[in-house]
Amino acid sequence: WGGLLDNTSQLIYMNSENSSESNPLSVAQSDAIYLWASAPLKADGSIYIKSEGMYKFSYTSGVISHIADLDLFKCTGTVPMGKAALDFSAGRFSISDISGAVFNQNCDGAYINYTSPIIEFSAYAGYTGLLNSNVVYMLGKDGRKHIPENKVYAFSNPYIPVSASVSFPYLFLNQSLSIQGNGFIDLSENKYNRIYGALSLSGAVTPVVFYNFVTDFGSDFETNIMNYTKLNFSIFAGKSLITTGIDYASGNHGIFSAFKGFSTHTAYSCGTGDAELSGVILASVGANCPIGTNMLIASNLKGVFACPEKEIIPAGLQADYSYIYNFFSDLQLITVVSGFKGFNQD
């Protein structure tokens, strides 16, 4: 068992002609406490229970909020099967699809994964109605996340997410191929159901250069198909890591409609708030550089191109810088500076 205290202070400057705020400078403050515990159910530790809860106070632009949540509560374990193994988890835990852009959040459910040297199978089924919508955001029919009332714990919209995937970890030349399907059944009166199918190919180009390609097609049964595609490269240079890549989330053009995932996914942060991953092309380059044993400097530069319809429009440039210093194992200082320069008033 253990705990963590988190204190975060933000100084935010938003200079936008479209903003109604007379003062572009604002302050945000949050304080949180996290408690966790784990206990083995078998003497060898192959099956255990793990839990984590949190309470958070925040102040933003004069608005005070209190949030309490059970982030994690699961029973998980591994059953050896010769050269293969069966992993399972049941309860509340984080789950993600292979693209990370469709379904990436905490959820209540059950997960199994069979792993062998040549093939992997996995399946998941869950329920979202008991989640705290102050913490877990899901997109509605309008492509926007649901903003709950000012409550400590507000139940989320009820969906049944289901997922199944098959992977070939060493298909050829140490390249991995994965195929996954995701479905979301809306139990509310809206009946906004969605399905997605994804393909992923990843592996090594050289001993220090790795790539990851994912394309994901989806449908909400009401509009044209939608698509999200990304290609990322990771380059190891000594102890440092250099990353570069391009992301595409379809807009309303050609055979595609605007891409909408199930979980909220921020494409970039600008003066009007976080922009969802839809109708946009992102080109990015970044680096993580450790300094000694206690420091890490990370930076990322992202070019944003809007493609809501037929035209591709340069929309802005986002830069992120972070500095992490570990005083010791239980105390860490993190400094983050982010900025977005928009090229278009719209």
Side-chain angles (χ1 to χ4, degrees):
W1 61 274
L4 172 68
L5 295 174
D6 177 83
N7 179 285
T8 301
S9 300
Q10 293 178 284
L11 185 64
I12 305 170
Y13 178 80
M14 293 188 293
N15 185 13
S16 173
E17 294 183 3
N18 296 329
S19 176
S20 60
E21 297 293 334
S22 58
N23 185 2
L25 196 63
S26 62
V27 175
Q29 174 68 34
S30 67
D31 298 279
I33 180 171
Y34 299 85
L35 300 174
W36 65 82
S38 62
L41 297 181
K42 294 186 67 176
D44 60 1
S46 60
I47 301 177
Y48 60 93
I49 292 177
K50 192 172 184 179
S51 63
E52 178 181 304
M54 59 85 73
Y55 166 78
K56 184 177 182 179
F57 161 85
S58 62
Y59 172 89
T60 305
S61 301
V63 178
I64 295 176
S65 64
H66 301 268
I67 299 173
D69 192 38
L70 183 65
D71 298 294
L72 175 69
F73 188 80
K74 69 174 181 177
C75 175
T76 187
T78 300
V79 180
M81 305 174 68
K83 293 184 178 180
L86 181 68
D87 300 317
F88 66 89
S89 295
R92 177 172 296 182
F93 52 90
S94 179
I95 187 76
S96 176
D97 71 302
I98 60 176
S99 72
V102 172
F103 186 42
N104 190 0
Q105 62 178 67
N106 280 352
C107 196
D108 299 323
Y111 172 81
I112 58 171
N113 181 59
Y114 172 81
T115 305
S116 74
I118 60 173
I119 195 170
E120 296 182 10
F121 294 101
S122 67
Y124 176 83
Y127 177 68
T128 66
L130 299 178
L131 300 174
N132 188 350
S133 57
N134 290 298
V135 179
V136 179
Y137 299 112
M138 296 173 292
L139 299 181
K141 192 173 184 178
D142 58 359
R144 299 180 179 181
K145 61 186 180 182
H146 169 65
I147 304 298
E149 299 176 7
N150 188 17
K151 296 181 179 180
V152 175
Y153 199 107
F155 289 113
S156 295
N157 294 331
Y159 286 87
I160 295 179
V162 292
S163 173
S165 66
V166 58
S167 302
F168 303 92
Y170 304 103
L171 186 62
F172 62 92
L173 300 175
N174 287 331
Q175 308 299 299
S176 299
L177 173 69
S178 299
I179 301 172
Q180 185 179 64
N182 290 279
F184 304 93
I185 303 170
D186 190 350
L187 299 181
S188 72
E189 60 183 12
N190 297 322
K191 301 301 179 185
Y192 185 53
N193 304 316
R194 285 161 277 183
I195 59 170
Y196 301 84
L199 181 145
S200 170
L201 189 63
S202 61
V205 179
T206 73
V208 296
V209 179
F210 296 82
Y211 78 96
N212 180 39
F213 169 80
V214 179
T215 186
D216 204 328
F217 293 89
S219 173
D220 59 6
F221 304 102
E222 297 181 9
T223 58
N224 294 335
I225 60 173
M226 45 193 170
N227 176 249
Y228 169 74
T229 298
K230 70 176 180 180
L231 176 62
N232 295 330
F233 290 92
S234 299
I235 305 168
F236 292 88
K239 294 182 179 180
S240 299
L241 174 64
I242 301 171
T243 59
T244 184
I246 187 166
D247 295 55
Y248 163 76
S250 63
N252 292 306
H253 46 254
I255 63 171
F256 295 127
S257 62
F259 176 80
K260 294 190 293 286
F262 178 76
S263 308
T264 183
H265 186 105
T266 300
Y268 58 96
S269 298
C270 60
T272 55
D274 293 337
E276 288 295 335
L277 189 65
S278 181
V280 69
I281 298 173
L282 308 172
S284 62
V285 61
N288 294 342
C289 303
I291 301 176
T293 58
N294 295 330
M295 290 184 290
L296 175 69
I297 295 176
S299 61
N300 188 75
L301 185 65
K302 182 184 297 182
V304 181
F305 301 85
C307 55
E309 295 183 351
K310 293 182 179 180
E311 295 183 351
I312 299 177
I313 307 167
L317 191 66
Q318 179 169 320
D320 301 288
Y321 167 84
S322 61
Y323 169 80
I324 301 174
Y325 185 84
N326 292 308
F327 292 96
F328 39 88
S329 61
D330 295 330
L331 182 60
Q332 187 178 75
L333 173 67
I334 303 176
T335 303
V336 178
V337 179
S338 298
F340 179 84
K341 172 60 179 177
F343 300 151
N344 191 296
Q345 293 299 326
D346 297 329

